[in-house]
Amino acid sequence: MKIRILVSLKPGVLDPQGRAVHHALEGLGFKGVDDVRIGRTVELDVADNTSDEALTEMCEKLLANTVIENYKIEKLG
Amino acid sequence: MGFRSAVITFPGSNCDRDMAVALEQVSGTAPLRVWHGDAELPDGLDFIALPGGFSYGDYLRSGAMAANSPIMREVIRAADRGVPVLGVCNGFQVLTEARLLPGALMRNASQHFICRTVGLKVENAQSIFTSGYEAGQEIRIPVAHHDGNYFADEDTLDRLEGEGRVAFRYTENCNGSRRDIAGVLNKAGNVLGMMPHPERAVDAAHGGTDGLALFEGAMKALASA
């Protein structure tokens, strides 16, 4: 089973990297970009019987730092 | 009785030797060197140090992999028993990832790696680690980091300040840290994480000796405990 985990910074957490990229997009002449936030995608290939609980635990224990990050688990089948 | 300390080395640690030299210089006893894959800590430790560096190449997040290494389970147990644990730079990042300290260390607001000596104000001079200083004292200690931007939510920051758990603040914020925080203590006061490197300021040849009082104070506090 293919799993995609999207890790993003929580709203309100300053993202210096996103800000720098935002600045660079403006420097390239792109207009109308209001905000840029950078996250991380983690793709897993797991046994089909892997439970939702196990996936959540992977995120909570290692893949995301829940002090600053949110995560979303997507099952790609 | 000798001062029995340990320095933990992770793959990618690069300040472990400096930390060991500082501990030996101050205590007269060479610290034990412990590898990240070790399943056990030596018995009867008086002090554990997590050094700076780039453990596991900063993969995933700075300190995230090291926080889950076998030896960290033992360090967490030791910290829970009250053994003093000092985490410097990457060691601080490991301590937050291991949840021994609140908050997180994010990329510097400037995006730049900062390597220079900065001013710190000693906020709490009552802890094991800071008893060698005076409250409000200003000291100069080097920083060298890319991810030193301390973040915690407002409630946590209020709680840390209310409980006297901010050990050091930058006199000039160099990395975007919330409320200029450079070092924080756990609730029990036996775990300190700080981004600046006191072990790089223990000899006149380093350009300063303001880090000495941290190690000397800790040793004195432990000897009289």
Side-chain angles (χ1 to χ4, degrees):
Chain A
M1 181 168 56
K2 302 264 191 207
I3 303 291
R4 182 183 290 150
I5 293 161
L6 299 167
V7 181
S8 57
L9 281 175
K10 287 183 174 175
V13 175
L14 182 75
D15 179 6
Q17 211 182 158
R19 208 166 53 175
V21 170
H22 189 184
H23 189 69
L25 285 173
E26 286 173 340
L28 288 168
F30 292 103
K31 306 245 183 284
V33 180
D34 291 331
D35 196 17
V36 178
R37 310 277 288 169
I38 307 235
R40 171 189 293 115
T41 305
V42 183
E43 292 181 344
L44 306 177
D45 197 347
V46 299
D48 287 347
N49 61 359
T50 304
S51 67
D52 289 356
E53 290 72 29
L55 292 171
T56 300
E57 210 180 334
M58 290 179 203
C59 292
E60 295 275 337
K61 279 198 170 160
L62 182 63
L63 301 178
N65 178 343
T66 55
V67 174
I68 48 171
E69 293 169 332
N70 289 328
Y71 61 86
K72 202 166 98 186
I73 300 168
E74 292 178 354
K75 290 186 182 170
L76 306 178
Chain B
M1 203 177 75
F3 181 75
R4 197 167 156 83
S5 63
V7 176
I8 315 287
T9 300
F10 302 99
S13 295
N14 63 10
C15 302
D16 44 339
R17 186 178 175 281
D18 289 5
M19 183 64 82
V21 167
L23 283 167
E24 180 167 4
Q25 180 188 326
V26 173
S27 70
T29 310
L32 300 159
R33 306 297 293 271
V34 179
W35 181 237
H36 73 112
D38 291 352
E40 286 180 21
L41 283 168
D43 288 332
L45 288 177
D46 299 312
F47 194 93
I48 299 170
L50 305 185
F54 300 87
S55 58
Y56 298 86
D58 280 349
Y59 288 175
L60 196 62
R61 296 176 305 275
S62 301
M65 310 295 283
N68 290 288
S69 62
I71 199 65
M72 277 309 292
R73 282 196 283 274
E74 289 300 300
V75 172
I76 291 167
R77 249 179 239 141
D80 288 344
R81 284 200 310 272
V83 178
V85 178
L86 169 68
V88 168
C89 200
N90 188 226
F92 185 11
Q93 294 159 347
V94 174
L95 289 173
T96 59
E97 283 285 346
R99 308 289 169 93
L100 280 172
L101 291 173
L105 281 313
M106 302 186 55
R107 182 52 45 105
N108 294 340
S110 65
Q111 291 283 317
H112 294 291
F113 188 96
I114 319 167
C115 183
R116 59 185 161 91
T117 298
V118 300
L120 298 179
K121 185 176 167 210
V122 180
E123 288 290 333
N124 173 345
Q126 308 284 318
S127 77
I128 302 166
F129 308 96
T130 55
S131 57
Y133 300 107
E134 303 286 334
Q137 187 181 342
E138 288 195 13
I139 58 175
R140 294 190 60 76
I141 303 280
V143 293
H145 61 248
H146 211 163
D147 297 317
N149 181 351
Y150 185 72
F151 175 88
D153 61 47
E154 291 296 311
D155 288 348
T156 304
L157 294 168
D158 288 343
R159 198 177 72 233
L160 288 176
E161 290 186 336
E163 294 174 351
R165 289 167 58 187
V166 176
F168 301 103
R169 267 188 238 271
Y170 301 105
T171 54
E172 276 177 54
N173 196 330
C174 56
N175 53 25
S177 289
R178 291 283 170 108
R179 304 191 192 178
D180 308 329
I181 290 172
V184 294
L185 294 155
N186 69 340
K187 198 168 169 58
N190 68 310
V191 178
L192 170 68
M194 59 190 295
M195 289 311 298
H197 288 268
E199 81 283 7
R200 292 192 191 177
V202 295
D203 188 302
H206 291 161
T209 56
D210 284 355
L212 268 180
L214 187 147
F215 298 103
E216 288 172 347
M219 232 153 284
K220 216 176 277 176
L222 292 168
S224 63

